C-alpha cells in the first residue's frame, strides 16, 4: 500500500478514535493512545486549564506514571515555559524556546520524564478555557520534522470541534448530576426502562429498594414483583405508559410488601425520545419509587442557619419536620408544652407560615439538602 494511502487510513482511524472517545467512561484516553502511535511518540498529553497561572483542571497522559502527572499539576506547571503558543498552530519546543538545556524546566521536568522533543498546539475554547495538546519523544529518538508537524496539524480542526462537543457533554453531565442528586435527596428511587421493559439504569435509592426484594426485585434486566398476580398486573400497568407523553400526572401503581411494611408507590412516566430511537434500546419509561419507610432526618443546625431561628426554635422545627407532634417535641427537648407552643409561634413569624402543616411543607421543599442522614436504608 502506498505511504500516502496508509497515512490517510491512519488519520481516519485517529479521527474516529477522537470522536468515539468523548462518550467513553474515560474520555480522551483511547484517542491519546492512538495519537501516540500515529506520531511515533512516547507520550501524548491533553491539558485543559483556565489559564497558564492555574493548575490544570484536566490532564491526561495514558502512558505516564500517575505520580508524574500529579507532580506537574501540583507545582511543575508553574515553571513550564512551553505555554501561550500561537493559537491553533503546531509548534515544536526547540523552535519556540531555542536552547533550553540549562532551564529549570529541563532540569526538573524534561529529564525527570526522559523527554527531549515536544510538539504542542494550544486551542482557546468558546467556554473561555484553554486546551493544550503535547506530543513527546524521548532522548535518543529523532526530533520532530516538518512532516510530523503536518501530520499533527491535520487533526487540529477535528480536535477543536471535539473540544466544543466535550464542553457540551460535560455541561449536560453536570446538569444530570444535579437533577439526580436532587431526586436522591428526596429519597426517590428512579428506574429507566426501554420499550421491552428492560432496566437500562437506576439510581442508588432504587438499588437499595430492589435489593431488599420486599415485593419488588431485579431479576437480570427485568423488574419482577413478589406474586404472579401482582407481576401480571404490573406488566399490564407498564403497557399503558408509552406513547402518552401528555399525561402530566403519570400512572400510579402500588406494590404490596410481604414484610408487612407500607406499600411502595410507583409512578410511571413516558420518556420522550426521537422516533428513530423507538426501535432500539433507548429510554422509554421512567419509574419513580416512593418508599414511605425511607425518610430523611432534618438537622436542626441547617434549619437554624436557613431560617435564622434560635437553637431551641430550630430543634422544635426539626422535630416537627421529622414527624413528631408538638407534645412529642416538647417531651424530647425537656420543655413544657406551653413553652414549645410559644417557640412555635415565633417560628411561624420568622418563616411566614401560620400552620404546622405549612411549616413542615416549607422545610421539606425549600432545601432538600437539609437531610442529615437517611433512615430505614437497606
Amino acid at each position: 500500500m502506498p505511504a500516502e494511502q496508509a497515512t490517510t487510513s491512519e488519520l481516519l482511524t485517529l479521527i474516529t478514535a477522537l470522536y468515539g472517545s468523548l462518550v467513553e467512561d474515560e474520555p480522551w484516553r483511547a484517542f491519546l493512545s492512538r495519537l501516540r502511535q500515529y506520531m511515533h511518540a512516547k507520550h501524548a498529553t491533553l491539558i485543559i486549564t483556565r489559564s497558564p497561572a492555574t493548575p490544570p483542571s484536566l490532564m491526561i497522559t495514558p502512558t505516564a506514571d500517575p505520580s508524574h502527572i500529579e507532580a506537574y499539576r501540583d507545582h511543575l506547571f508553574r515553571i513550564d515555559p512551553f505555554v501561550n503558543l500561537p493559537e491553533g498552530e503546531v509548534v515544536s519546543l526547540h523552535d519556540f524556546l531555542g536552547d533550553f538545556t540549562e532551564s529549570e524546566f529541563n532540569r526538573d521536568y524534561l529529564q525527570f520524564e526522559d523527554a527531549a522533543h515536544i510538539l504542542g498546539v494550544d486551542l482557546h475554547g468558546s467556554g473561555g478555557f484553554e486546551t493544550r495538546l503535547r506530543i513527546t519523544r524521548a532522548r535518543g529518538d529523532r526530533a520532530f520534522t516538518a512532516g510530523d508537524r503536518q501530520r499533527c496539524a491535520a487533526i487540529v480542526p477535528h480536535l477543536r470541534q471535539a473540544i466544543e462537543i466535550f464542553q457540551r457533554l460535560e455541561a449536560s453531565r453536570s446538569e444530570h448530576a444535579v437533577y439526580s442528586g436532587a431526586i436522591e435527596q428526596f429519597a426517590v428511587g428512579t428506574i429507566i426502562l426501554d420499550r421491552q421493559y428492560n432496566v437500562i439504569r437506576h439510581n442508588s435509592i432504587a438499588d437499595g429498594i430492589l435489593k431488599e426484594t420486599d415485593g419488588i426485585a431485579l431479576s437480570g434486566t427485568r423488574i419482577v414483583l413478589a406474586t404472579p398476580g401482582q407481576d401480571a398486573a404490573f406488566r399490564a400497568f407498564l403497557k399503558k405508559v408509552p406513547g402518552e407523553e401528555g399525561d402530566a400526572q403519570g400512572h400510579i401503581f402500588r406494590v404490596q410488601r410481604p414484610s408487612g411494611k407500607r406499600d411502595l408507590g410507583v409512578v410511571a412516566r413516558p420518556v420522550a425520545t426521537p422516533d428513530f430511537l423507538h426501535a432500539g434500546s433507548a429510554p422509554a419509561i421512567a419509574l419513580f419509587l416512593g418508599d414511605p419507610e425511607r425518610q430523611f432526618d432534618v438537622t436542626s443546625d441547617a434549619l437554624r442557619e436557613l431560617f435564622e431561628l434560635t437553637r431551641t426554635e430550630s430543634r422544635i422545627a426539626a422535630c416537627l419536620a421529622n414527624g413528631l407532634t408538638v407534645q412529642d417535641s416538647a417531651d424530647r427537648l425537656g420543655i413544657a408544652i406551653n413553652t414549645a407552643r410559644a417557640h412555635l409561634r415565633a417560628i411561624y413569624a420568622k418563616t411566614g407560615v401560620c400552620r404546622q402543616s405549612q411549616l413542615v411543607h416549607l422545610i421539606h421543599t425549600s432545601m432538600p439538602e437539609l437531610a442529615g442522614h437517611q433512615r430505614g436504608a437497606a
Side-chain angles (χ1 to χ4, degrees):
M1 179 181 293
E4 183 178 349
Q5 292 181 350
T7 300
T8 301
S9 176
E10 290 174 354
L11 179 60
L12 290 175
T13 300
L14 180 63
I15 292 172
T16 300
L18 169 59
Y19 291 114
S21 73
L22 299 180
V23 294
E24 294 178 352
D25 292 338
E26 297 182 277
W28 301 109
R29 297 187 72 87
F31 160 67
L32 292 171
S33 296
R34 179 73 65 176
L35 177 63
R36 182 186 68 84
Q37 298 171 359
Y38 173 78
M39 294 298 298
H40 308 290
K42 180 180 180 181
H43 299 305
T45 300
L46 184 82
I47 296 173
I48 297 179
T49 183
R50 295 191 302 275
S51 72
T54 59
S57 301
L58 177 69
M59 181 174 180
I60 304 173
T61 309
T63 50
D65 188 315
S67 65
H68 295 182
I69 296 175
E70 287 303 313
Y72 182 90
R73 295 183 63 176
D74 182 50
H75 63 278
L76 291 174
F77 77 92
R78 296 186 179 90
I79 62 171
D80 187 352
F82 196 40
V83 296
N84 296 321
L85 309 184
E87 207 280 339
E89 182 179 337
V90 179
V91 178
S92 75
L93 177 65
H94 289 274
D95 290 341
F96 189 74
L97 295 179
D99 184 10
F100 58 89
T101 55
E102 300 300 323
S103 69
E104 182 183 11
F105 177 66
N106 181 56
R107 184 184 67 250
D108 292 349
Y109 182 65
L110 296 184
Q111 292 185 17
F112 180 63
E113 275 289 326
D114 186 27
H117 314 287
I118 303 178
L119 277 186
V121 59
D122 289 355
L123 301 175
H124 300 155
S126 61
F129 57 86
E130 179 179 286
T131 301
R132 303 175 193 161
L133 183 66
R134 300 293 185 262
I135 301 166
T136 305
R137 285 178 179 167
R139 291 192 298 270
D141 290 344
R142 65 179 179 85
F144 289 107
T145 65
D148 290 324
R149 287 194 292 273
Q150 291 176 357
R151 285 166 66 88
C152 184
I155 69 168
V156 170
H158 300 281
L159 179 61
R160 189 186 301 278
Q161 187 173 29
I163 288 293
E164 295 299 320
I165 295 172
F166 179 68
Q167 176 184 349
R168 296 184 183 185
L169 288 174
E170 287 300 293
S172 295
R173 291 186 185 109
S174 297
E175 291 176 8
H176 179 267
V178 169
Y179 298 141
S180 297
I183 289 174
E184 293 200 5
Q185 288 284 4
F186 283 113
V188 175
T190 59
I191 303 174
I192 306 299
L193 307 179
D194 63 18
R195 291 188 173 273
Q196 287 70 47
Y197 313 127
N198 294 306
V199 175
I200 299 175
R201 54 185 168 270
H202 56 281
N203 70 357
S204 61
I205 301 296
D207 184 61
I209 293 173
L210 295 172
K211 285 181 177 178
E212 289 178 352
T213 64
D214 188 8
I216 188 170
L218 182 64
S219 178
T221 60
R222 309 284 284 191
I223 297 294
V224 295
L225 271 61
T227 67
Q230 273 253 299
D231 198 64
F234 185 64
R235 301 294 157 205
F237 163 75
L238 292 177
K239 290 179 181 179
K240 298 178 182 178
V241 179
E244 300 186 18
E245 286 84 354
D247 185 356
Q249 298 301 317
H251 301 258
I252 302 174
F253 188 89
R254 302 198 71 82
V255 177
Q256 299 173 0
R257 298 203 273 189
S259 67
K261 293 180 180 179
R262 288 176 289 178
D263 293 349
L264 293 169
V266 180
V267 176
R269 294 291 306 274
V271 177
T273 54
D275 288 341
F276 66 84
L277 288 178
H278 286 187
S281 181
I285 300 174
L287 302 180
F288 301 96
L289 280 61
D291 182 355
E293 304 293 335
R294 289 171 180 263
Q295 303 175 18
F296 281 107
D297 280 342
V298 175
T299 64
S300 61
D301 288 343
L303 290 178
R304 184 182 182 189
E305 180 178 349
L306 179 64
F307 297 114
E308 297 183 351
L309 305 177
T310 67
R311 185 177 299 277
T312 301
E313 290 169 353
S314 65
R315 294 174 69 187
I316 291 172
C319 287
L320 297 176
N322 289 322
L324 297 184
T325 66
V326 178
Q327 180 65 65
D328 292 336
S329 303
D331 293 342
R332 173 173 291 189
L333 300 178
I335 60 178
I337 181 65
N338 288 337
T339 302
R341 287 172 177 159
H343 283 300
L344 186 57
R345 288 192 292 271
I347 295 170
Y348 289 166
K350 291 180 179 180
T351 57
V353 302
C354 56
R355 292 196 300 272
Q356 185 175 325
S357 60
Q358 292 176 331
L359 175 65
V360 172
H361 177 75
L362 175 66
I363 292 171
H364 282 286
T365 57
S366 294
M367 190 176 174
E369 62 270 24
L370 288 173
H373 64 276
Q374 192 174 348
R375 290 189 290 139

